[in-house]
Amino acid sequence: MNRIVHIALKVENLDETTRFYQDVFGFKEQSTKKVRDHVSRHLSDGDIDFTLIRYDEGTQSNESKASGEKPCIHHFAIEVDDLEAYTAKLRSYGCEIISDPGIVPVKFRAPGGTVAELVPVGRYKRLGAAEGTEAAKA
């Protein structure tokens, strides 16, 4: 079965937002990296990859504008076993493919207007049982 494995928030202040989710909920930082026109900071609650994204000033990419200008839930990811087959299914439902051709993950606008993405199986790992337990205790 396909499953939701990732949720991304578009934020204005990466460090302040990170501290909030770490201090209040005990989320653990996994990695921070520059990707195309934004910085992604991956946190986890032990099960879900919870990413904070800060777009570069002045960027005009389709992805940066997909959910509007302000901070918001930007998108969520669904893990699938065949990106091409599911991309074709999306198109058959009239979904707009937001990502540039060849870019993985494949971001799309679903019926109803929300933004989501397809990711290959294994892109986001769950924390080990001990790590997840520690995160829940913090």
Side-chain angles (χ1 to χ4, degrees):
M1 172 188 268
N2 300 314
R3 64 188 184 100
I4 295 174
V5 294
H6 162 78
I7 299 171
L9 303 184
K10 182 178 180 180
V11 302
E12 291 178 342
N13 187 313
L14 196 58
D15 293 331
E16 180 180 294
T17 308
T18 299
R19 277 192 304 280
F20 170 79
Y21 284 103
Q22 288 176 326
D23 293 350
V24 175
F25 299 109
F27 289 9
K28 301 291 183 196
E29 185 173 342
Q30 303 302 301
S31 67
T32 300
K33 58 188 169 190
K34 175 78 168 137
V35 181
R36 295 180 299 283
D37 61 350
H38 63 279
V39 173
S40 292
R41 176 158 300 148
H42 295 264
L43 308 174
S44 181
D45 66 353
D47 286 312
I48 299 280
D49 177 270
F50 184 74
T51 302
L52 307 176
I53 53 180
R54 173 74 172 107
Y55 280 94
D56 298 343
E57 205 61 46
T59 188
Q60 295 296 314
S61 70
N62 289 337
E63 287 185 23
S64 71
K65 305 298 181 197
S67 294
E69 298 290 327
K70 301 286 183 186
C72 61
I73 294 176
H74 189 265
H75 68 272
F76 62 94
I78 302 169
E79 183 179 72
V80 297
D81 58 1
D82 186 335
L83 289 174
E84 288 183 26
Y86 279 91
T87 300
K89 275 187 179 181
L90 295 174
R91 283 191 165 97
S92 76
Y93 275 82
C95 295
E96 172 193 2
I97 304 301
I98 297 167
S99 300
D100 291 332
I103 297 291
V104 174
V106 177
K107 282 192 178 56
F108 65 94
R109 189 173 309 282
T114 57
V115 176
E117 66 185 11
L118 302 178
V119 298
V121 172
R123 180 177 177 106
Y124 297 107
K125 306 280 186 218
R126 289 182 176 166
L127 292 178
E131 291 175 276
T133 302
E134 292 303 313
K137 288 181 187 176

